Amino acid sequence: MSWALVCEHLFIVLAASILSICLGLPLGILAYLFPKVRAVILRVVDILQTIPALALLGIIMVVLDPGKVTVITGITLYSLLPIVRNTCLGLQEVDPGVKEAARGMGMSRAYRTLLVEFPLAFPTVFTGIRIAVVNAIGTAVFAAFVGGGGLGSVINRGIRVQDMGLILSGTGALMVISVALDLLMGWFEKNTRKRGGKRAMWVPVAAVLAAFVLLLPYGRSSVGEGELLLYDGDYSETQIMHHMAKILVEDRTDYTVTIQDQMSQVNNFKALIGDGHTCDMMISYDGTLLTTFLQMDPTDVPEGETLYSFANRVGRERHQLQLLEKLGFDNTYAIALTGRAGEVGGNVSDLIPVAGDLVFGAEHEFFTQEGSMKFGPFTQFYGLKFKDTLSVDVSLKYAAAEKGSFDVTVVYATDGLNRKAGLRVLEDDLGFFPEYNGAFLLRQDTLERFPGLDGVLNLLAGQISNEDMVEMTYQVDVEKRAVDDVAREFLADRGLLAS
């Protein structure tokens, strides 16, 4: 964890808070002034609050590009409820005698609302702002899922690799930020109640704006013109390959490679395609390109054509994307046994006679109905009927496996955490899972903008075996080595660095 991540997280929170205040205060005032629209406004902000934060970010990302804009927009909408409700409530609770006196003095409705009633309601209004800001600190953790940066990446990684130090450092930083901001806002609120008046209201506003200006460098993109753009992955394998590409390209060419915030594979693909793309390339897999990105099945591959060439051809036709040469590792799905499973043979078909006594546990996504590489089609293909199933968060799967929460699970073949968790990977003897050969996926216009880039990246073709990737991910996830160090060491060992 670094100070840059802390400041980046603070920037997201402050930017969203400023926008939610600018939007929430007028909505709260409108709800107070016009009873007929009050129910509609309050119902809308209530509904926004009930949408899960991650789902709201996903909906917004359909319209906006991945990154901080999506995150800030989502948190802004999520923060409206306490601001709107407290603004309306605070204005309603102003002493009726004061309102009548202002009316008797001939003040217009707008004048007395803004300059008489609002200052008196400000302590209640500020309480709503205080709640919204503190809630935004926790909600901003989800920024890591859509390339927004912040402390969420630290916590997510800590959970996945079961690193209590990372989890505590990320959580501790959030707690410190929350307590510090809450104490500061509490001090402002106390002084506002004591002094009152319009001048006291502007003190917290000035403080927030000053902090926002100071944090602006952490919200701006540092990308220069002509740079090759990638996103960091949310798994060590993706991170290793992206950093390896950066090191190799910058060593062999004059190009500058920028690795942006973390992002999942699906969101990275969305950021790669279309005219509004925010990256130029990513590590992917021919099976992922076919089944997840192109929404096709291995049965769609014409006879006589490989999955790799077919996925590559369709990717070019639909999205003008190009898979470079295969890197050598096949990160396909694999079925693995925990220590609780007992004596079972080395093939998946050996599970058939004993499946009724075993519990199958996996991440939520594997149990969905979307796509053919899921639990339903898998068990139907092999004729398996398990005793029970257990759906867990993907970040907690390996921890659950080590604790013996289930007997059988699905893993990625090249994940170093398989070794740490003591999982025994079975042979897919009937061939249900397709190949997932690792390869760099680039926009075709990227190859035009960066002549010779494909030649440099193809120096890695066939160089990385499954055993190599297992060892590298194990070093990063278990031995806690830096991604850059592991990537550079591999390139040096293969003699691929010119300098």
Side-chain angles (χ1 to χ4, degrees), residues 9 137-138 141 151 155 169-179:
H9 199 93
I137 296 170
V141 167
L151 292 169
I155 297 174
S169 64
T171 305
L174 288 176
M175 292 173 64
V176 170
I177 293 171
S178 298
V179 171

Side-chain angles (χ1 to χ4, degrees), residues 283-473:
I283 183 65
S284 190
Y285 311 87
D286 52 2
T288 301
L289 177 59
L290 179 72
T291 62
T292 303
F293 301 156
L294 300 176
Q295 298 292 304
M296 303 180 76
D297 291 327
T299 54
D300 294 319
V301 179
E303 187 175 351
E305 189 172 7
T306 65
L307 187 152
Y308 168 84
S309 63
F310 177 69
N312 208 2
R313 175 165 61 83
V314 178
R316 284 195 301 267
E317 293 170 355
R318 290 190 185 179
H319 301 293
Q320 293 74 54
L321 300 176
Q322 174 75 46
L323 275 175
L324 298 188
E325 294 183 33
K326 292 183 280 189
L327 297 165
F329 59 94
D330 176 14
N331 190 16
T332 186
Y333 287 110
I335 301 302
L337 302 180
T338 69
R340 199 180 88 161
E343 293 296 326
V344 180
N347 295 322
V348 174
S349 58
D350 292 326
L351 290 171
I352 297 173
V354 297
D357 299 322
L358 303 177
V359 176
F360 190 100
E363 56 268 31
H364 310 305
E365 183 185 2
F366 192 66
F367 292 106
T368 63
Q369 301 300 315
E370 297 178 2
S372 58
M373 299 299 108
K374 303 296 182 180
F375 179 77
F378 161 68
T379 52
Q380 185 177 1
F381 180 85
Y382 269 98
L384 296 169
K385 294 184 178 180
F386 289 98
K387 176 183 178 181
D388 199 3
T389 59
L390 179 65
S391 179
V392 298
D393 186 86
V394 64
S395 300
L396 300 173
K397 182 173 71 174
Y398 284 100
E402 288 191 69
K403 292 176 181 177
S405 300
F406 44 77
D407 307 292
V408 189
T409 188
V410 63
V411 298
Y412 294 120
T414 58
D415 197 330
L417 290 177
N418 296 337
R419 184 196 301 178
K420 178 179 182 294
L423 299 178
R424 180 160 65 93
V425 177
L426 302 180
E427 181 70 26
D428 182 16
D429 53 311
L430 299 185
F432 173 74
F433 294 112
E435 293 181 339
Y436 281 79
N437 296 294
F440 287 113
L441 182 64
L442 290 79
R443 294 174 57 87
Q444 289 185 310
D445 58 10
T446 297
L447 297 174
E448 297 170 3
R449 289 169 49 222
F450 298 94
L453 177 63
D454 53 344
V456 172
L457 292 173
N458 279 334
L459 292 174
L460 287 167
Q463 292 280 353
I464 309 172
S465 66
N466 275 19
E467 293 72 22
D468 291 330
M469 185 54 73
V470 169
E471 179 61 30
M472 285 191 287
T473 55

Side-chain angles (χ1 to χ4, degrees), residues 105 182 186 296:
M105 294 175 65
D182 191 55
M296 303 180 76

